[in-house]
Amino acid sequence: MSEQVREMFSGIASKYDLLNDILSFGIHHRWRKKTVKQANVKENFRILDTASGTGDLAFEFYNKLDGKCEIIATDFCEDMLVLAEKKAKEANYKLNFQIADVMILQFPDNFFDVTSISFGIRNVDVPEKGVSELARVTKPGGRVVVLEFGQAKGIFGKIYDLYSRFYMPF
């Protein structure tokens, strides 16, 4: 993963949750709930959430299953995981947090029932490699779940382009 991207996330870690609320107008909460629903998770599943950031998708999985699952939340930015661990401790969630780059996952083949990445694939140097790694560590019949912003077209595309080029970096 690019050192520049890691440094950027390290620099905004303390404001990351607020920025997500502002940049998505709060809609990201509903998108995560829908993503977890579509993942079709079940009790006792082993779940990997990559590029977990401050842990929001991992926590949605945990809530959906009332903690009756094993969740490993990873990120390549340690500062983000520190915040995720703090949030988990405050909510009394039992998750495993590990530093990992989605392009070179340290887990064995066919290990997880569900693997995920939310709002992170766009920051992966080689997205195809990241998705390939997710598929490698997912059991046959399991699910790889990717939640990401789409590419708007027409007038909305132009508005989004301006928004993402000028407003988001600001």
Side-chain angles (χ1 to χ4, degrees):
M1 198 57 86
S2 162
E3 188 60 34
Q4 182 181 14
V5 173
R6 184 186 336 267
E7 287 175 14
M8 188 243 340
F9 279 104
S10 183
I12 65 167
S14 65
K15 299 176 186 88
Y16 184 77
D17 288 338
L18 175 63
L19 290 170
N20 272 346
D21 285 339
I22 292 168
L23 296 175
S24 76
F25 302 104
I27 295 171
H28 67 102
H29 297 291
R30 281 189 277 156
W31 292 340
R32 284 189 179 94
K33 286 184 188 311
K34 187 171 185 171
T35 298
V36 168
K37 183 178 179 183
Q38 292 198 352
N40 198 28
V41 293
K42 303 204 181 334
E43 288 184 6
N44 301 314
F45 265 24
R46 187 178 291 146
I47 301 166
L48 173 67
D49 182 39
T50 62
S52 195
T54 61
D56 288 343
L57 185 62
F59 301 151
E60 284 296 333
F61 283 121
Y62 191 90
N63 287 333
K64 174 76 173 174
L65 298 169
D66 294 321
K68 297 174 184 157
C69 56
E70 179 186 346
I71 299 174
I72 299 176
T74 68
D75 203 287
F76 78 118
C77 178
E78 185 175 9
D79 291 329
M80 296 294 271
L81 281 183
V82 167
L83 292 172
E85 287 182 279
K86 181 180 176 194
K87 287 169 58 175
K89 186 175 181 179
E90 289 169 358
N92 201 29
Y93 293 160
K94 307 291 187 249
L95 283 82
N96 181 333
F97 297 93
Q98 297 182 28
I99 296 172
D101 184 332
V102 71
M103 291 195 308
I104 45 171
L105 294 170
Q106 64 265 37
F107 307 104
D109 295 355
N110 308 318
F111 191 70
F112 295 96
D113 298 287
V114 172
T115 57
S116 65
I117 186 168
S118 63
F119 308 115
I121 200 70
R122 67 181 178 264
N123 298 314
V124 175
D125 290 338
V126 183
E128 297 83 1
K129 175 67 174 154
V131 172
S132 175
E133 274 292 276
L134 290 172
R136 179 186 65 77
V137 301
T138 303
K139 293 177 181 176
R143 293 201 178 204
V144 174
V145 182
V146 178
L147 172 60
E148 190 59 78
F149 289 109
Q151 297 297 316
K153 299 194 185 314
I155 187 70
F156 290 110
K158 292 180 190 324
I159 292 169
Y160 180 76
D161 187 47
L162 291 171
Y163 175 77
S164 64
R165 267 196 213 174
F166 300 104
Y167 181 72
M168 283 175 53
F170 171 73

